Amino acid sequence: MKKNILLTISILTASLLAFALPAAAQQGTSKYIRQGNDQYKKQQYADAEASYKKALERNAKSMEGNFNLGNSLYEQKRYDAARQQYANALKAPTRKENAADAMYNIGNTFMEDKKWEESIATYKKALKANPADEQARYNLAYAQEMLKKQQQNQGGGKDNKEQKDKDKQQKDQQDQQDKKDQQDKKDQQQDQKDQKDQQDQQPKPKPSKLSQEEAKRLLQALAQQEKKLQEDKMKKTKGSPVSVEKDW
């Protein structure tokens, strides 16, 4: 997390400013930095931003002004702008521990944007400047873990896409097979219906209206008629042979 520290004008810095800046500019810088710090502590971050900017108008190279302005921008979630102010703070004459803190906060701006590789590199620089910084060490481990998960998810995303494509292909094939089976079933049902319709259209024997006695008498009559026909046929084939005399 970001270090909630505000830099104030140190005695050493004030002494250096006395040689580098006119008295009025020096006094104005300190005034607006103190004012900004009071506003920052009250969580009036936009007002603090305005005060720090006024301090920087009088001394653009102020370590305290740039660092604290970065903090006020960070609290407003303007991470790119905050990162630039921390970088400006590093360009100013500063103590080693303040440089480590600025580097640490730069790492936090990268982490807020989920730029894990950049945050890892920056935390390493902060630890190099201050090896005893446990917060930087913790954030470094956290960023490394998040980068690992991101890389795993990206790889898994590719595998998931391939699996989804495979599943879709199988589903399409199954849908096609289901449609074919349904069509085959419909065709089979239609064939059965057509066969039934054809059978219904064929002439069927009408049920007999004769009684059993009437049928028996009819069969006897038919048998007698058949016998008579056979006798008549035999009569036609019998008879005296006709001799054919030779014509000579």
Side-chain angles (χ1 to χ4, degrees), residues 8 27 31 33 41 44 67 86-87 97 102 108 113 124 142 151 163 201 216 230 234 245:
T8 58
Q27 185 177 1
K31 172 186 173 182
I33 287 177
K41 291 174 182 177
Q44 298 171 352
F67 185 95
Y86 293 135
E97 57 269 26
N108 285 350
D113 289 336
K124 287 181 178 179
Y142 177 83
Q151 292 171 341
Q163 184 63 41
Q201 293 173 1
K216 183 177 181 181
Q230 291 293 334
M234 290 179 66
E245 294 182 354

Side-chain angles (χ1 to χ4, degrees), residues 43-54:
Q43 299 183 356
Q44 298 171 352
Y45 302 121
D47 292 337
E49 174 189 351
S51 296
Y52 295 136
K53 285 182 176 179
K54 288 179 180 179

Side-chain angles (χ1 to χ4, degrees), residues 10-198:
S10 65
I11 296 176
L12 176 60
T13 304
S15 299
L16 293 173
L17 289 172
F19 291 100
L21 295 173
Q26 175 188 344
Q27 185 177 1
T29 300
S30 302
K31 172 186 173 182
Y32 286 117
I33 287 177
R34 286 194 298 269
Q35 179 178 303
N37 289 354
D38 290 338
Q39 293 165 331
Y40 184 95
K41 291 174 182 177
K42 296 176 183 177
Q43 299 183 356
Q44 298 171 352
Y45 302 121
D47 292 337
E49 174 189 351
S51 296
Y52 295 136
K53 285 182 176 179
K54 288 179 180 179
L56 291 172
E57 287 176 0
R58 288 153 178 77
N59 178 15
K61 296 182 179 180
S62 169
M63 166 67 178
E64 294 80 9
N66 282 292
F67 185 95
N68 293 352
L69 176 58
N71 282 355
S72 65
L73 293 168
Y74 185 100
E75 293 296 342
Q76 297 177 71
K77 302 185 186 304
R78 293 158 60 187
Y79 302 120
D80 288 342
R83 188 182 307 128
Q84 182 60 53
Q85 293 308 134
Y86 293 135
N88 290 342
L90 288 171
K91 296 176 184 177
T94 180
R95 291 178 295 176
K96 189 175 182 180
E97 57 269 26
N98 290 343
D101 290 341
M103 193 67 67
Y104 172 93
N105 282 354
I106 290 175
N108 285 350
T109 64
F110 283 127
M111 188 158 65
E112 291 288 352
D113 289 336
K114 293 182 172 54
K115 296 180 179 180
W116 309 117
E117 292 182 355
E118 292 87 340
S119 64
I120 289 170
T122 310
Y123 288 135
K124 287 181 178 179
K125 291 179 181 179
L127 283 169
K128 186 176 181 180
N130 181 13
D133 191 339
E134 292 301 321
Q135 286 180 302
R137 199 178 310 280
Y138 174 85
N139 283 11
L140 172 61
Y142 177 83
Q144 289 172 331
E145 182 64 23
M146 294 304 295
L147 176 62
K148 181 179 178 181
K149 288 183 178 180
Q150 183 184 66
Q151 292 171 341
Q152 289 175 345
N153 290 336
Q154 288 174 347
K158 181 179 179 181
D159 294 339
N160 290 337
K161 184 179 183 302
E162 291 178 353
Q163 184 63 41
K164 287 180 180 179
D165 292 342
K166 184 178 179 180
D167 292 342
K168 184 178 183 301
Q169 184 178 4
Q170 291 178 346
K171 184 178 183 299
D172 292 342
Q173 291 175 349
Q174 185 62 44
D175 290 343
Q176 291 177 356
Q177 184 63 41
D178 291 343
K179 289 180 181 179
K180 184 177 182 300
D181 292 343
Q182 290 177 358
Q183 187 61 44
D184 291 343
K185 184 177 181 180
K186 288 181 180 180
D187 294 342
Q188 184 178 5
Q189 291 175 343
Q190 186 62 42
D191 291 341
Q192 292 175 350
K193 184 177 181 300
D194 293 343
Q195 291 177 0
K196 185 176 182 302
D197 291 343
Q198 291 176 358

